[in-house]
Amino acid sequence: FHIGETEKRCFIEEIPDETMVIGNYRTQMWDKQKEVFLPSTPGLGMHVEVKDPEGKVVLSRQYGSEGRFTFTSHTPGDHQICLHSNSTRMALFAGGRLRVHLDIQVGEHANNYPEIAARDKLTELQLRARQLLDQVEQIQKEQDYQRYREERFRLTSESTNQRVLWWSIAQTVILILTGIWQMRHLKSFFEAKKLV
């Protein structure tokens, strides 16, 4: 994606609880003279900020022009991942454009299995078993999160249904009372005019 030099860009990622997230990014600055994006941008860094669904800051750190950030979610839900450059120029003078390559890996996709196999000296069969265990664990976390979301949705639906019911009853009562008042008012009007 492309952003301005002082612009902030945020992404929302739905993450179950106790799930590791790894983000890799690389930033390229637009060169106005050559009219190309520079392969590396020394001196330019990115500030990464991650907030959980409750708005608490999980990660807030300054990185270089390319890097990797890691965090573990402790609350299920939509996590906000925001990136902006460390440019200190005022918005009026900062006319540079940035190209940011961002790759976010969630859960067992974040594991580097060749590195794990080399470190723990695992055979191919042991490594595959570990991958399957990680996948099962991730599926279980996803199912728990979906149950949590379903419960929240059910509570919201029941609350909305209750409000609609009481609103309908209130409207009916107001309509009946208005009708009774109008009949009495008309009756007293016609009696006053001696038409009845």
Side-chain angles (χ1 to χ4, degrees):
F1 62 91
H2 295 114
I3 59 173
E5 195 174 338
T6 57
E7 190 180 343
K8 183 177 188 178
R9 182 68 55 97
C10 294
F11 301 92
I12 294 177
E13 193 73 34
E14 195 174 27
I15 305 169
D17 61 337
E18 301 305 323
T19 303
M20 186 169 78
V21 178
I22 294 177
N24 294 302
Y25 72 90
R26 184 168 51 91
T27 308
Q28 295 176 303
M29 182 75 142
W30 177 254
D31 187 352
K32 291 179 185 176
Q33 282 83 24
K34 298 178 186 173
E35 294 192 358
V36 294
F37 284 101
L38 299 172
S40 65
T41 314
L44 182 74
M46 291 296 279
H47 185 265
V48 179
E49 184 177 74
V50 179
K51 291 183 180 178
D52 68 4
E54 297 165 357
K56 292 185 212 161
V57 176
V58 177
L59 172 75
S60 179
R61 196 166 158 211
Q62 192 75 31
Y63 292 93
S65 63
E66 61 182 275
R68 171 184 171 135
F69 59 90
T70 306
F71 69 93
T72 302
S73 65
H74 298 294
T75 310
D78 292 337
H79 286 66
Q80 187 179 40
I81 302 168
C82 295
L83 300 160
H84 62 90
S85 71
N86 65 351
S87 177
T88 56
R89 294 199 285 177
M90 292 175 54
L92 294 172
F93 304 110
R97 282 191 348 211
L98 301 173
R99 178 194 286 167
V100 182
H101 302 270
L102 177 65
D103 179 32
I104 298 174
Q105 298 170 339
V106 179
E108 45 97 16
H109 298 291
N111 293 337
N112 186 350
Y113 286 106
E115 185 180 296
I116 292 171
R119 184 185 67 220
D120 295 345
K121 296 182 178 69
L122 300 176
T123 65
E124 192 172 325
L125 183 62
Q126 289 171 325
L127 180 64
R128 186 66 184 135
R130 185 158 182 175
Q131 284 177 319
L132 290 173
L133 284 172
D134 288 347
Q135 286 175 347
V136 167
E137 187 179 321
Q138 186 65 30
I139 290 169
Q140 183 181 4
K141 286 178 184 178
E142 284 287 338
Q143 286 179 332
D144 289 344
Y145 177 59
Q146 293 305 326
R147 278 192 205 100
Y148 165 75
R149 284 188 59 195
E150 186 264 333
E151 181 182 344
R152 262 189 21 220
F153 181 72
R154 186 172 25 77
L155 290 173
T156 303
S157 297
E158 288 173 1
S159 170
T160 304
N161 186 28
Q162 193 84 15
R163 290 177 185 173
V164 167
L165 175 68
W166 284 111
W167 178 249
S168 300
I169 290 171
Q171 278 184 323
T172 304
V173 168
I174 290 170
L175 191 63
I176 290 171
L177 291 174
T178 304
I180 292 171
W181 178 78
Q182 283 180 340
M183 287 191 330
R184 285 189 168 192
H185 183 70
L186 282 173
K187 184 178 177 187
S188 65
F189 173 76
F190 286 127
E191 285 175 352
K193 294 286 183 181
K194 297 187 179 166
L195 296 172
V196 176

